[in-house]
Amino acid sequence: MKTKFIGLIIFIFTSFFTTEIKADTVFFDSKNIQIEEEGNMIYSLKGIAKIPNQKIIVEGDKSKYNKSISELVIIGNVKFFDNLNNVYIESDKAIYNEIDNTILTQGDTFIKVENRYEVFSKDVLYNRNSMEVLSKSDTKVYDDTNNIYNFQDGFLFDTVKEIISSKRTNIIDNQNNSYLFEKAKVNLKLKELAGKELIVEFVDDFFGNNDNDPLLKGKSSTSNEEKTTIHKAVFSTCNIENKKCRGWELQSHEFIHDKIQRLFQYKNSWLKLFGKKVFFFPYFSHPDPTVKRKSGFLTPLYSSSDNLGRAINVPYFIAISNAKDMTFNPRLYSDGD
């Protein structure tokens, strides 16, 4: 009986007062450790779990390690440091599976990838073998150039290729313009993207008039740092909130924004006035809003009056020289039909 009593005292002392204990590949550093089921279950409070061969450090309020299935569960104020891949995770709860080499978070989750991207999501699966981050929840990603990517209905982030795929994507660039895509794929590294059913909501004063409501739609789009191409595009700047619009609309088979030359290009376009096709342009172009002075079409202006009815101005600006210019400003009226 005396031998058994001494053995029990040693077990209690080891379980509750040891500051560091090793379970095969996992080291626990805590002032409150409890070992059960012949060493197969290890519990700790307010401690740190280390997996040196994977360069992983995990902190949390509570942790449970199941040796038989190689699973580490951390609950409360979870901080997961993947120093091998430069990935940091915060969550309410996380489950690390040593066999699959995955971490599954539950609840709100914050992830930082290589100090370049910040991810805000929930219920995230991080696969350290494929280096992919997956979630079925709405997610926001911030890059290091102040662009915001909103991924609705989930996303898949390949952190090696730096490519994100999503069913619905809303991008707000660093100029506060909004881009909405269906089935988009974004290459964060090359600043390239491709998607379907594009809607671009420019800031109101993007074309120099704060009363505008510029909107661009397209069936599909591709974009990189040099060029944006939109197929079957529809564009107008008419303010749909303050006027019965759209007074004018431009439909183009292909719209191209040449970012190097700072030029908007339109191919096979129809200018529609008050819902009717009026002019066909096989090709025309004009400077983008970043250009201060260059020949080309200016933004059409919509107006209406009780006497003359609805009208639209389609001005064309000619830069004759550095000190001289000329503007043609034809006005077209609706027949009221």
Side-chain angles (χ1 to χ4, degrees):
M1 291 295 295
K2 187 174 182 180
T3 303
K4 291 183 179 180
F5 180 77
I6 294 174
L8 178 62
I9 293 296
I10 294 174
F11 176 78
I12 293 175
F13 180 85
T14 303
S15 299
F16 291 95
F17 297 98
T18 302
T19 58
E20 184 172 309
I21 188 168
K22 178 182 178 182
D24 291 342
T25 58
V26 182
F27 291 81
F28 290 89
D29 188 355
S30 173
K31 293 183 179 180
N32 195 331
I33 296 177
Q34 183 177 348
I35 304 173
E36 297 182 359
E37 298 182 16
E38 298 181 351
N40 286 320
M41 298 295 297
I42 300 175
Y43 301 87
S44 69
L45 297 176
K46 298 290 184 181
I48 298 174
K50 301 177 182 179
I51 308 176
N53 63 337
Q54 295 291 335
K55 295 185 178 180
I56 290 175
I57 299 175
V58 190
E59 299 178 9
D61 294 340
K62 300 178 182 178
S63 66
K64 177 181 70 174
Y65 180 65
N66 188 329
K67 182 180 177 181
S68 60
I69 60 175
S70 300
E71 182 181 84
L72 175 64
V73 179
I74 312 97
I75 302 173
N77 299 310
V78 178
K79 295 180 180 180
F80 183 94
F81 301 86
D82 182 355
N83 296 318
L84 180 64
N85 300 301
N86 200 9
V87 174
Y88 169 73
I89 300 175
E90 291 181 0
S91 67
D92 300 324
K93 180 179 178 179
I95 302 171
Y96 176 64
N97 187 302
E98 283 188 284
I99 298 173
D100 296 334
N101 202 16
T102 61
I103 179 167
L104 175 66
T105 71
Q106 295 180 6
D108 294 338
T109 303
F110 168 76
I111 303 175
K112 181 176 284 190
V113 181
E114 295 182 353
N115 294 317
R116 296 182 60 191
Y117 307 111
E118 294 185 348
V119 181
F120 295 84
S121 187
K122 60 176 13 178
D123 303 335
V124 174
L125 175 65
Y126 168 41
N127 189 322
R128 297 181 73 248
N129 293 327
S130 64
M131 288 305 298
E132 292 180 335
V133 180
L134 169 69
S135 175
K136 295 182 179 180
S137 302
D138 292 351
T139 301
K140 284 188 177 182
V141 177
Y142 296 79
D143 67 13
D144 52 3
T145 57
N146 299 319
N147 296 307
I148 304 173
Y149 303 85
N150 298 287
F151 300 102
Q152 302 174 26
D153 303 325
F155 78 111
L156 174 63
F157 186 6
D158 186 328
T159 62
V160 176
K161 297 180 180 179
E162 299 181 39
I163 294 177
I164 301 180
S165 303
S166 176
K167 294 180 180 179
R168 289 174 56 84
T169 302
N170 175 230
I171 302 173
I172 301 176
D173 65 18
N174 48 29
Q175 296 180 339
N176 210 33
N177 299 309
S178 176
Y179 305 80
L180 180 63
F181 292 87
E182 299 282 348
K183 297 181 180 179
K185 183 169 289 188
V186 182
N187 189 318
L188 299 173
K189 184 177 182 179
L190 300 178
K191 305 299 181 184
E192 295 179 347
L193 61 89
K196 298 181 178 180
E197 303 298 336
L198 166 68
I199 299 177
V200 183
E201 295 182 352
F202 299 99
V203 293
D204 290 348
D205 61 353
F206 190 71
F207 294 91
N209 187 344
N210 195 51
D211 294 328
N212 283 341
D213 190 16
L215 183 68
L216 175 64
K217 295 182 179 180
K219 287 296 182 180
S220 62
S221 176
T222 57
S223 180
N224 54 36
E225 291 186 308
E226 296 182 355
K227 182 173 66 174
T228 295
T229 302
I230 301 174
H231 300 282
K232 296 184 179 180
V234 179
F235 174 71
S236 180
T237 61
C238 185
N239 190 312
I240 60 176
E241 294 183 357
N242 300 328
K243 301 181 179 69
K244 294 181 179 180
C245 289
R246 299 198 176 273
W248 74 273
E249 191 174 77
L250 186 64
Q251 296 181 346
S252 300
H253 180 73
E254 185 177 76
F255 165 83
I256 299 174
H257 180 199
D258 190 323
K259 301 175 185 178
I260 305 300
Q261 298 185 26
R262 298 190 295 174
L263 192 68
F264 282 171
Q265 300 171 308
Y266 306 83
K267 296 181 179 180
N268 297 327
S269 304
W270 277 100
L271 176 62
K272 293 182 66 176
L273 302 179
F274 312 109
K276 295 182 179 180
K277 292 181 178 179
V278 178
F279 296 111
F280 176 75
F281 305 91
Y283 173 86
F284 79 97
S285 63
H286 64 83
D288 73 17
T290 64
V291 178
K292 301 299 182 182
R293 197 168 184 274
K294 188 175 182 180
S295 297
F297 284 99
L298 302 179
T299 304
L301 300 175
Y302 172 87
S303 64
S304 64
S305 69
D306 295 335
N307 295 328
L308 299 176
R310 295 177 297 175
I312 189 167
N313 293 59
V314 189
Y316 187 85
F317 177 80
I318 301 176
I320 301 173
S321 65
N322 291 334
K324 296 180 181 180
D325 57 61
M326 180 182 297
T327 302
F328 291 100
N329 194 14
R331 177 173 295 181
L332 303 173
Y333 291 92
S334 169
D335 58 8
D337 294 337

